[in-house]
Amino acid sequence: MTHAHRRPLPMAASRGSALIFALIALVSMSLAALALVRSVDTGTVILGNVGFKREATAAADEATRQAIDWLQTADVSANNAAQGYYATTATTLDATGFQQAANTRTLIDWDSDNCGYADSGTYAGCGQRPRSVSVSGVTAHYVILRLCADLAATQCSRPLNAVASADGSKGSLDYANPGGPEVNTAVYYRIVVRVQGARQSQSFTETIVQR
């Protein structure tokens, strides 16, 4: 009876197989390390965005409060560019500059560079300049816009609710003392705040107040 004998692999072939498996393992480890680095980078970016969001919200809130404080005692009959106040607002105003480009829109000159953030020919005007305030090391810019072309005009945006009269009659019908409710003469004002953070990130807030 004859027996078949398996010939052993040459030493060179064995070394070649081991080298292939080693290369495969090395590639797998490299891909795993790359995935780990990308995961850490993504987490860092997310944490940075959350931190900026909180910082921007706090800065915008403080800038809005300062704008409201100024508005309470200010002369609102005319523009005051130094305070970022404008006695009227255009219906075509694009406060953030993110709307679809149209040559009829007007922009706010946020960076005092004649609206360099927008391409020429994509807007009709570059008017209002904001006031800059520093809040905990963060720079915020705000613009106050009166939602009314003329304080005496009937087209002003005003509250819809009436103000109770001061005589205490609460609107009762009394021919001897015709008090009744009074018309609310308050006017709405629009406060737009932009906060710019790291990596050219921006945050916008808008508040409507009445005076």
Side-chain angles (χ1 to χ4, degrees), residues 77-167:
S77 61
N79 294 342
N80 189 336
Q83 296 294 330
Y85 171 75
Y86 296 88
T88 185
T89 182
T91 56
T92 57
L93 180 67
D94 180 6
T96 63
F98 293 153
Q99 295 181 8
Q100 185 176 0
N103 55 9
T104 58
R105 64 175 179 164
T106 56
L107 302 176
I108 297 176
D109 192 9
W110 288 111
D111 299 313
S112 300
D113 59 355
N114 296 321
C115 298
Y117 61 88
D119 295 332
S120 177
T122 62
Y123 57 92
C126 176
Q128 298 91 347
R129 288 194 174 186
R131 184 188 178 195
S132 300
V133 294
S134 180
V135 181
S136 299
V138 179
T139 301
H141 302 79
Y142 71 78
V143 170
I144 307 173
L145 304 167
R146 189 179 70 195
L147 300 183
C148 182
D150 185 353
L151 290 176
T154 58
Q155 295 87 355
C156 290
S157 298
R158 301 180 186 277
L160 296 178
N161 61 311
V163 176
S165 60
D167 59 6

Side-chain angles (χ1 to χ4, degrees), residues 7-137:
R7 298 178 61 183
L9 292 174
M11 185 65 66
S14 300
R15 291 178 178 177
S17 301
L19 179 60
I20 292 176
F21 285 114
L23 290 175
I24 293 175
L26 182 61
V27 170
S28 300
M29 293 176 63
S30 299
L31 292 176
L34 180 61
L36 179 61
V37 170
R38 294 189 62 180
S39 176
V40 172
D41 289 343
T42 302
T44 302
V45 171
I46 293 175
L47 289 176
N49 290 339
V50 172
F52 169 70
K53 183 178 180 181
R54 293 179 178 177
E55 187 178 56
T57 301
D61 182 70
E62 175 61 21
T64 301
R65 186 193 63 79
Q66 293 185 26
I68 293 175
D69 290 344
W70 177 87
L71 191 59
Q72 289 178 347
T73 58
D75 179 10
V76 296
S77 61
N79 294 342
N80 189 336
Q83 296 294 330
Y85 171 75
Y86 296 88
T88 185
T89 182
T91 56
T92 57
L93 180 67
D94 180 6
T96 63
F98 293 153
Q99 295 181 8
Q100 185 176 0
N103 55 9
T104 58
R105 64 175 179 164
T106 56
L107 302 176
I108 297 176
D109 192 9
W110 288 111
D111 299 313
S112 300
D113 59 355
N114 296 321
C115 298
Y117 61 88
D119 295 332
S120 177
T122 62
Y123 57 92
C126 176
Q128 298 91 347
R129 288 194 174 186
R131 184 188 178 195
S132 300
V133 294
S134 180
V135 181
S136 299

